[in-house]
């Protein structure tokens, strides 16, 4: 019996720290949106809403938690990175998403970008070529309750034929050229955003709009991304 009181006290102190930690992350996130995203011209309300409400710190490794809301990409293991918050917001806004959209993401990584998309659209299908990342993202989605995200381990170059066509496609790894299967899996009126350029170099972020009889491409920004590979990894 004697030991019970200190135990309860310890639990209360622990809970207080937990609550304070979450509040701290929420205020860092609010600051991130204000100073890194709004100031750089992101105005789309649903994009801002998603950036404010997805806990980025839940998607980075423990060693990176302190930098969760910093203005930079971060390592997520296996030589891969989670993009800089501004790039996530920019690519999200560029897709002009509607709440009824079905979206494909190629390059799940940590799952953060998929979670941002999932706050906005009806359903997100996301493919990751490294098994360990695919499995950990899948688990994370379940833990955090993102029930409208489906994660698959595989090569996203070929898209996801039996879930196609998509209203929008986002590729979050740098491609040397635009994969034709992805264009084929876009609806007419569909939008795609993809970094394109030489291996490991600076790439052009290309916005693609599939019209009835043509595909319109526009270079929107220079970016750096880890490469889109074709090698399925454990
Ligand atoms: N969107 C991610 C970051 C992506 S990093 C996030 O929010 O965290 C790019 C990811 O693309 C890496 O995890 C890499 O393994 C994956 N990738 C590379 N080539 C791929 C391919 N052909 N198909 C699917 N995923 C691929």
């Amino acid at each position: 019996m004697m030991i019970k009181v200190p135990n309860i006290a310890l639990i209360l102190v622990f809970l207080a720290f937990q609550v304070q930690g979450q509040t701290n992350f929420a205020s860092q996130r609010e600051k991130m949106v204000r100073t890194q995203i709004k100031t750089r011209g992101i105005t789309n309300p649903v994009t801002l809403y998603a950036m404010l409400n997805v806990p980025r710190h839940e998607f980075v490794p423990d060693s990176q938690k302190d930098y969760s809301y910093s203005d930079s990409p971060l390592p997520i293991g296996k030589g891969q990175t989670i993009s800089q918050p501004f790039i996530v917001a920019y690519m999200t806004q560029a897709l002009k998403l509607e709440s009824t959209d079905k979206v494909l993401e190629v390059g799940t990584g940590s799952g953060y970008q998929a979670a941002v998309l999932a706050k906005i659209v009806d359903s997100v299908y996301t493919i990751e070529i490294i098994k360990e990342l695919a499995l950990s993202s899948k688990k994370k989605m379940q833990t955090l309750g993102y029930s409208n995200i489906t994660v698959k381990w595989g090569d996203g170059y070929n898209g996801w034929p039996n879930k196609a066509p998509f209203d929008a496609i986002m590729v979050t790894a740098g491609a040397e050229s635009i994969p034709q299967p992805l264009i084929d899996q876009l609806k007419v009126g569909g939008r795609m955003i993809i970094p394109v350029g030489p291996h490991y170099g600076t790439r052009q972020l290309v916005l693609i709009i599939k019209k009835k009889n043509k595909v319109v491409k526009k270079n929107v920004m220079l970016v750096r991304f880890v490469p889109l590979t074709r090698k399925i990894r454990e």
Side-chain angles (χ1 to χ4, degrees), residues 95 97 101-104 166-170 186 190-192:
L95 289 177
L97 299 167
D101 282 352
K102 176 168 60 163
V103 179
L104 173 69
F166 298 96
D167 298 284
I169 298 179
M170 182 185 290
L186 262 188
R191 295 83 58 203
M192 169 152 91

Side-chain angles (χ1 to χ4, degrees), residues 41 46 81 95 119 141 178 206 217:
V46 288
T81 53
L95 289 177
K119 282 272 179 211
M141 299 317 174
I178 300 166
V206 184
K217 296 175 195 155

Side-chain angles (χ1 to χ4, degrees), residues 28-229:
Q28 288 182 38
R29 197 156 58 243
E30 184 279 322
K31 188 173 175 209
M32 170 192 86
V33 171
R34 190 164 30 88
T35 62
Q36 302 170 31
I37 292 173
K38 283 187 179 167
T39 47
R40 295 193 180 119
I42 305 298
T43 53
N44 175 236
V46 288
T47 300
L48 294 172
Y49 169 83
M51 296 302 294
L52 258 184
N53 286 285
V54 177
R56 187 172 160 93
H57 62 276
E58 299 282 5
F59 294 86
V60 304
D62 285 345
S63 62
Q64 301 297 320
K65 290 261 189 264
D66 287 351
Y67 315 108
S68 302
Y69 298 98
S70 66
D71 193 12
S72 62
L74 295 172
I76 54 169
K78 299 272 164 187
Q80 308 305 318
T81 53
I82 178 174
S83 303
Q84 178 191 9
F86 168 66
I87 297 292
V88 171
Y90 186 92
M91 291 173 79
T92 305
Q93 170 169 278
L95 289 177
K96 293 198 180 342
L97 299 167
E98 301 281 343
S99 59
T100 51
D101 282 352
K102 176 168 60 163
V103 179
L104 173 69
E105 182 198 21
V106 175
T108 315
S110 68
Y112 175 68
Q113 174 72 72
V116 167
L117 293 168
K119 282 272 179 211
I120 302 174
V121 301
D122 178 72
S123 47
V124 178
Y125 292 88
T126 180
I127 309 175
E128 169 55 53
I129 206 162
I130 301 177
K131 189 178 187 182
E132 197 178 306
L133 291 176
L135 292 182
S136 61
S137 291
K138 188 178 245 178
K139 222 159 122 196
K140 187 142 287 171
M141 299 317 174
Q142 283 162 1
T143 318
L144 297 176
Y146 288 92
S147 54
N148 58 341
I149 301 177
T150 314
V151 184
K152 177 168 100 169
W153 173 39
D155 179 3
Y157 184 95
N158 297 313
W160 198 322
N162 62 358
K163 299 292 178 192
F166 298 96
D167 298 284
I169 298 179
M170 182 185 290
V171 181
T172 60
E176 295 194 20
S177 60
I178 300 166
Q180 187 59 39
L182 299 184
I183 305 244
D184 295 342
Q185 289 172 34
L186 262 188
K187 280 185 191 167
V188 170
R191 295 83 58 203
M192 169 152 91
I193 189 126
I194 175 169
V196 186
H199 198 64
Y200 278 114
T202 305
R203 303 180 208 247
Q204 267 295 346
L205 196 53
V206 184
L207 178 65
I208 296 160
I209 300 174
K210 186 169 176 178
K211 305 237 162 144
K212 209 166 181 187
N213 297 311
K214 61 176 178 183
V215 173
V216 181
K217 296 175 195 155
K218 190 175 156 200
N219 294 344
V220 292
M221 198 197 298
L222 285 173
V223 285
R224 273 181 186 273
F225 267 86
V226 294
L228 184 79
T229 65

